Amino acid sequence: MTGAAPQPSAHLHDAATVVPGEPWSTGVARGDDGAVRVAGVDLRDLAAEHGTPAYVLDEQDLRTRARSYRRAFAEAFAQVGAEVDVYYAGKAFLSVAVARWVHEEGLRVDTASGGELAVALRAGVPGADIGLHGNNKSDDELTAALDAGVGRIIVDSLVEIERLADLVATRGGEPAPVMVRVTTGVHAGGHEYISTAHEDQKFGLSLAPTRGTSDTVADADDDSPAMTALLAVLARPELRLLGIHSHIGSQILDPSGFAVAARSVLALRARLARRTGVLVEEVDLGGGYGIAYLPGEVALDPDRIAKEIAASVADSAAEVGTDVPRFSIEPGRAIVGPAGLTLYTVGTVKPVRVDEGLTRLYVSVDGGMSDNIRPALYGARYHAEVVGRLSTADRVLARVVGKHCESGDIVVHEVLLPGDVRAGDLLAVAATGAYGRSMASNYNLLTRPPVVAVSDGASRVLVRRETVTDLLALDADA
């Protein structure tokens, strides 16, 4: 390690005092014996039954968050005379049970691949309540979407528009419902890799003019890739232009970017209507609503963001002289992220001296970057606690690391843990419901952990643990 010695960050809290409360799910509580229970299930019992590492999902917490978003947006948009649909973003985490839960709570399901589409359909979600995203959809994925009668296909390029129209022409039948994904130029969210509306990236079609010679916004937009795509959809009778889609980023804690994006998208909608007479019926501003990952952080409140977005959409529609469209959003992380935790067993504990005499305790667990790649990929920060016992030991600066053959295999960069943390302790990392299992890998040929749901004092496996037999079954020479 080089440079000045690392110092504990301001976000660090005494781990013994954090539970309950954010960033943990509402069903998490610590007993007088120091043991943590989720929805009435003792994590010691869960580890004994299901092993570690394991993803633990609080069903009622997830359902409550889904209901909260549905209610908040329905009420806010009713005030401005518009209807709204809430799509659960399946990329955050999708299983048959979760797809079924969110649909039972009134949400539709947004998918980003043929696999996610298959899971949603297996859960019994009607095709009309499913959307298909993707910047490079295969013909097989588009065909599967058409076979399922999905409610919308979000096209991402001029090439895809022609491919989809040709597929529909070959098959016959009703025109495919299409939304065009546009990039508004609004930058929001955390790491560069999860900010999705700037120009220099793979998603969407830009609102910026391609020639750069127009004197007015309207003329400039008429020469933009976004306008070109909308006109291309209208030119193909095999397609029905449902609306315009945008997504400005992820882990967004300041909602002001949505107002700016809404203004741009509604202006595009109005210009298309003036040019063609077609006023598209729906606008989607994506999702990316931020959650609390660390003690002291505050997640976006569904009521607040719903009211602010509804007001900005109404104001922007009035400015351009159109009605308020049907609206849709896609909260994924905000619903499943806080509902989940990852449970590990501690192995090697190693004090390491760093610069200027500071000692950091390296706490190794039985998982790592194969079950949570986000710290290595994005520098994402998480909070961890010892959850199987009570400790009165002084807190020390610790780093939770995995068992992979990588120096960057860090689960939690810094956290205060009991100084007597030892092999065999159970350790939980909060707010891993989103993008833990869905981005998991078999690096070093570790098997992926199970997803275990807890509710009303009982647990059940939603996705079983992989086994070495599973790994060998894929090896043609095994």
Side-chain angles (χ1 to χ4, degrees), residues 93 213 394:
F93 172 69
T213 57
D394 290 339

Side-chain angles (χ1 to χ4, degrees), residues 84-177:
V84 66
D85 295 309
V86 179
Y87 283 78
Y88 173 75
K91 66 176 185 173
F93 172 69
L94 197 65
S95 71
V96 170
V98 166
R100 187 177 297 128
W101 293 348
V102 296
H103 193 253
E104 288 171 352
E105 300 302 338
L107 274 57
R108 300 185 180 194
V109 179
D110 179 72
T111 64
S113 71
E116 290 181 4
L117 174 60
V119 169
L121 292 170
R122 178 64 62 88
V125 181
D129 288 347
I130 300 174
L132 179 65
H133 263 290
N135 69 298
N136 188 32
K137 305 177 194 69
S138 68
D139 284 351
D140 286 345
E141 287 172 324
L142 292 172
T143 298
L146 294 171
D147 287 343
V150 299
R152 60 186 194 176
I153 298 173
I154 296 90
V155 295
D156 203 84
S157 66
L158 294 174
V159 172
E160 183 184 354
I161 291 168
E162 296 306 315
R163 286 176 50 232
L164 178 59
D166 289 346
L167 278 173
V168 176
T170 299
R171 295 162 51 93
E174 295 295 317

Side-chain angles (χ1 to χ4, degrees), residues 115-449:
E116 290 181 4
L117 174 60
V119 169
L121 292 170
R122 178 64 62 88
V125 181
D129 288 347
I130 300 174
L132 179 65
H133 263 290
N135 69 298
N136 188 32
K137 305 177 194 69
S138 68
D139 284 351
D140 286 345
E141 287 172 324
L142 292 172
T143 298
L146 294 171
D147 287 343
V150 299
R152 60 186 194 176
I153 298 173
I154 296 90
V155 295
D156 203 84
S157 66
L158 294 174
V159 172
E160 183 184 354
I161 291 168
E162 296 306 315
R163 286 176 50 232
L164 178 59
D166 289 346
L167 278 173
V168 176
T170 299
R171 295 162 51 93
E174 295 295 317
V178 165
M179 298 189 82
V180 173
R181 179 163 178 172
V182 304
T183 52
T184 61
V186 178
H187 297 218
H191 194 280
E192 175 188 358
Y193 291 170
I194 58 176
S195 182
T196 54
H198 55 81
E199 301 295 339
D200 189 11
Q201 50 92 35
K202 69 179 186 177
F203 290 111
L205 293 131
S206 176
L207 293 178
T210 55
R211 289 197 300 264
T213 57
S214 300
D215 295 326
T216 69
V217 174
D219 289 340
D221 191 74
D222 286 351
D223 191 44
S224 71
M227 178 63 80
T228 300
L230 292 167
L231 295 174
V233 172
L234 291 175
R236 294 299 300 256
E238 302 89 352
L239 307 178
R240 177 170 67 88
L241 181 59
L242 177 64
I244 303 171
H245 184 286
S246 74
H247 185 73
I248 62 174
S250 194
Q251 186 53 14
I252 299 168
L253 295 170
D254 178 2
S256 61
F258 292 108
V260 179
R263 189 175 302 114
S264 296
V265 171
L266 289 173
L268 172 64
R269 175 178 180 252
R271 289 193 287 274
L272 178 68
R274 288 195 296 269
R275 179 165 177 173
T276 66
V278 175
L279 184 66
V280 297
E281 60 190 85
E282 185 170 347
V283 164
D284 189 314
L285 288 185
Y289 306 140
I291 66 171
Y293 282 103
L294 302 173
E297 291 184 341
V298 179
L300 275 184
D301 175 66
D303 289 300
R304 175 195 170 196
I305 192 170
K307 290 175 182 176
E308 292 191 13
I309 291 179
S312 65
V313 166
D315 290 344
S316 297
E319 287 176 9
V320 297
T322 66
D323 63 356
V324 179
R326 189 181 189 92
F327 189 75
S328 49
I329 62 161
E330 301 164 8
R333 176 203 311 257
I335 291 172
V336 70
L341 62 81
T342 307
L343 184 63
Y344 300 101
T345 298
V346 173
T348 300
V349 177
K350 182 190 300 183
V352 176
R353 288 181 63 84
V354 294
D355 291 344
E356 298 181 11
L358 182 70
T359 297
R360 193 198 318 270
L361 197 65
Y362 274 72
V363 179
S364 299
V365 295
D366 53 350
M369 64 193 302
S370 61
D371 58 72
N372 190 354
I373 191 63
R374 295 186 70 252
L377 188 62
Y378 303 137
R381 295 189 175 272
Y382 288 87
H383 176 68
E385 298 186 31
V386 173
V387 294
R389 65 181 176 91
L390 189 65
S391 174
T392 59
D394 290 339
R395 277 23 186 181
V396 299
L397 182 63
R399 173 167 289 171
V400 180
V401 296
K403 62 180 294 177
H404 296 281
C405 192
E406 293 283 342
S407 297
D409 179 23
I410 298 171
V411 179
V412 180
H413 286 82
E414 57 178 16
V415 63
L416 294 176
L417 292 178
D420 64 352
V421 60
R422 56 185 180 262
D425 275 338
L426 291 177
L427 185 139
V429 176
T432 60
Y435 302 108
R437 180 58 173 82
S438 64
M439 298 179 79
S441 75
N442 293 123
Y443 182 50
N444 288 155
L445 292 183
L446 265 68
T447 56
R448 287 179 290 184

